[in-house]
Amino acid sequence: AEQETQKIRDECLNLKPVRQFKRIDGIKMKERNLCQESPEQQVHEYILVHALQPLFRAKFLPAQFGSIPGKGQVAGTRLIERIIRKRILGKLDAVKGDVHHAYPSTTTLCVITLLKRDVGKNKKLIWYAGAVTENYPDGVLLIGGYFSTWAFNYIMSYVLVQVRRGSGSKLVREIVCYADDFVLIGHASQLMKAMKKATRWAKSALGLEIKRAWQEVRFASFEEEKQVKAARAAGS
């Protein structure tokens, strides 16, 4: 611990190169570039995330659930259920979007640029973030990296804020996000406007590409559900 602390004081980490290899994702059967970090690199990533916790707590939205302690998939699902069943009355629609090649498309330069914007006065912390990430292959976030997970949530917080504010608060009623997947809830025509604006902004400001194949979901009203239930009871 004393040795690694002294390296931070001297601003000289000299971390070993990150080994990158390809592997088939067992869930989606996609070929992904996974990385293997040295134990020393992993230790410094934990220190960096700990040092950035005040910023992350300030920036992350309540609607973000991906790899955040105390949240996760189940909590995100429950929030969507509560939104649909209780929070908003009347007919609702949803649009689901996600970022194309999320981690490989997010550069460390983009992360450092936003960190300079938010904590620019802390020169030591900015240097440390750059030193920890300077050996990332191709200069992009690592799939499976501890800091990369937090850094991508940090980047996505900017995208979600833009979706909410940049499009007007009336266009999007609710947002729920898990890592690079997000769902907007409101009315279909307005949600499409919000998605188009957010797609343009994410590409120009962050270099992220939101997939154009948006999934639209139309929720039935309670009255429509009652009619369907009655039809089934009658033998439909």
Side-chain angles (χ1 to χ4, degrees):
E2 292 175 356
Q3 176 181 318
E4 299 307 315
T5 302
Q6 190 59 48
K7 288 182 179 180
I8 297 174
R9 291 196 188 101
D10 298 338
E11 296 191 359
C12 183
L13 292 187
N14 291 326
L15 297 172
K16 296 178 181 178
V18 175
R19 185 175 77 89
Q20 190 177 65
F21 56 95
K22 296 185 181 297
R23 178 167 292 179
I24 300 296
D25 184 337
I27 299 176
K28 295 187 177 181
M29 301 310 293
K30 293 181 180 178
E31 186 179 71
R32 302 187 186 276
N33 289 324
L34 300 187
C35 295
Q36 184 180 39
E37 300 174 317
S38 67
E40 183 182 15
Q41 172 105 27
Q42 295 179 53
V43 166
H44 282 288
E45 292 204 4
Y46 271 82
I47 296 172
L48 178 58
V49 169
H50 181 75
L52 287 169
Q53 278 302 309
L55 173 65
F56 291 153
R57 285 196 297 269
K59 286 293 183 181
F60 288 4
L61 277 65
Q64 289 182 268
F65 288 85
S67 301
I68 297 175
K71 293 192 173 183
Q73 294 176 340
V74 174
T77 303
R78 287 175 178 166
L79 176 59
I80 293 174
E81 290 176 350
R82 288 198 298 271
I83 291 171
I84 296 171
R85 295 180 184 279
K86 297 180 181 179
R87 291 190 179 180
I88 306 173
L89 299 177
K91 187 154 184 181
L92 286 175
D93 304 299
V95 174
K96 179 184 172 299
D98 67 323
V99 179
H100 181 64
H101 294 317
Y103 281 34
S105 298
T106 307
T107 65
T108 55
L109 176 60
C110 177
V111 176
I112 299 301
T113 300
L114 292 182
L115 288 178
K116 287 180 179 178
R117 175 185 180 277
D118 293 326
V119 291
K121 294 182 179 180
N122 193 331
K123 303 300 182 183
K124 175 71 77 172
L125 187 54
I126 297 298
W127 164 82
Y128 190 43
V132 171
T133 60
E134 66 180 357
N135 62 346
Y136 283 12
D138 303 319
V140 298
L141 296 184
L142 309 181
I143 296 177
Y146 185 66
F147 173 69
S148 295
T149 301
W150 289 85
F152 186 76
N153 278 326
Y154 172 57
I155 296 292
M156 277 302 296
S157 71
Y158 275 87
V159 176
L160 299 177
V161 167
Q162 182 64 24
V163 168
R164 172 75 76 176
R165 295 178 182 172
S167 59
S169 59
K170 293 183 180 179
L171 296 184
V172 178
R173 301 286 294 276
E174 298 284 351
I175 301 175
V176 181
C177 176
Y178 184 87
D180 62 325
D181 293 300
F182 58 94
V183 61
L184 313 181
I185 298 175
H187 297 287
S189 60
Q190 298 171 335
L191 295 180
M192 287 303 174
K193 292 178 184 178
M195 284 293 287
K196 289 176 181 177
K197 291 183 178 180
T199 298
R200 290 194 296 267
W201 182 87
K203 185 65 176 178
S204 62
L206 304 175
L208 296 181
E209 180 183 349
I210 297 176
K211 294 179 182 177
R212 293 280 180 174
W214 305 323
Q215 298 179 21
E216 296 182 58
V217 179
R218 301 293 178 96
F219 297 110
S221 66
F222 289 119
E223 200 58 44
E224 289 171 332
E225 287 185 357
K226 289 179 182 177
Q227 292 173 3
V228 171
K229 183 177 181 180
R232 287 177 178 169
S236 171

